[in-house]
Amino acid sequence: MNAGAPNTSDIAEIGQRAAEAQERLKHVAATATSADGAVTVTVNTAGALQQLSFGPRAEEIPRAALAAAVVATAHRAQAQAAQQLTAIMAPLIGENSDAMKFLEEQIPTPEVEEEAPPAEPQRQFFTREDEFPPPPPPARPAPPAPPAPTRPPRPSRPAPAGSDDDDYYNGGSILGRGY
């Protein structure tokens, strides 16, 4: 038997450790929450999103800021999942082995942004009239309405006999029309 070759019990032990590592890897998940509690993200070993939830603070944040918080929190969770993966694999393949270096190269290391605390709205206090901001520009006047359609002139026809022309055409008394 070769002095450097593993024996049957060594091979069995390596197989057992590999099976244990494989089982542990099935259950790896990492959860991260944003600093303000607006976002909580859970990812699996591969860094894929498994769960996303929003806290009460999420309703107060503009959508763009909320989206940025989701991405930053997901990156932090992915970094935690990657740390768990390498911690499980290190005893099996060796912390400084070529296999571990290869594994670490295959795991994308997300850039974990430090979350800045949400900025408080800036309040402005004015003490003199000349410090007030200028008023907003006046609203644009509505475009002029199109001219009303004109009625065509009434056809000229003779007034009935015995009626006053002005009464007949200008809505005069119906009594004068002979009704």
Side-chain angles (χ1 to χ4, degrees):
M1 190 149 97
N2 198 349
N7 61 32
T8 308
S9 65
D10 289 340
I11 293 173
E13 182 184 335
I14 291 171
Q16 177 64 30
R17 287 190 315 189
E20 289 171 3
Q22 185 177 18
E23 187 61 31
R24 287 178 61 199
L25 288 173
K26 288 180 186 176
H27 303 287
V28 168
T31 300
T33 301
S34 63
D36 61 0
V39 176
T40 300
V41 173
T42 301
V43 299
N44 66 10
T45 311
L49 184 65
Q50 299 297 301
Q51 187 174 10
L52 171 64
S53 61
F54 298 106
R57 174 84 170 98
E59 294 175 18
E60 303 166 6
I61 300 174
R63 287 186 181 170
L66 185 59
V70 168
V71 171
T73 306
H75 285 172
R76 287 188 19 249
Q78 290 167 341
Q80 291 173 12
Q83 289 172 349
Q84 290 179 39
L85 173 66
T86 55
I88 291 170
M89 295 303 293
L92 184 64
I93 61 177
E95 287 186 41
N96 297 318
S97 68
D98 288 340
M100 182 56 113
K101 289 176 187 169
F102 177 77
L103 176 66
E104 289 171 343
E105 289 171 0
Q106 302 312 305
I107 300 171
T109 45
E111 295 177 20
V112 180
E113 301 96 25
E114 287 297 317
E115 282 189 61
E120 289 294 320
Q122 295 292 327
R123 295 187 179 159
Q124 295 180 341
F125 298 99
F126 301 104
T127 57
R128 296 188 329 227
E129 275 188 43
D130 61 329
E131 292 180 342
F132 281 97
R140 238 197 246 172
T150 58
R151 296 179 95 192
R154 290 185 180 204
S156 66
R157 55 187 166 156
S163 69
D164 182 12
D165 285 344
D166 290 337
D167 285 344
Y168 181 75
Y169 288 110
N170 295 325
S173 165
I174 59 169
L175 296 176
R177 294 187 188 163
Y179 294 107

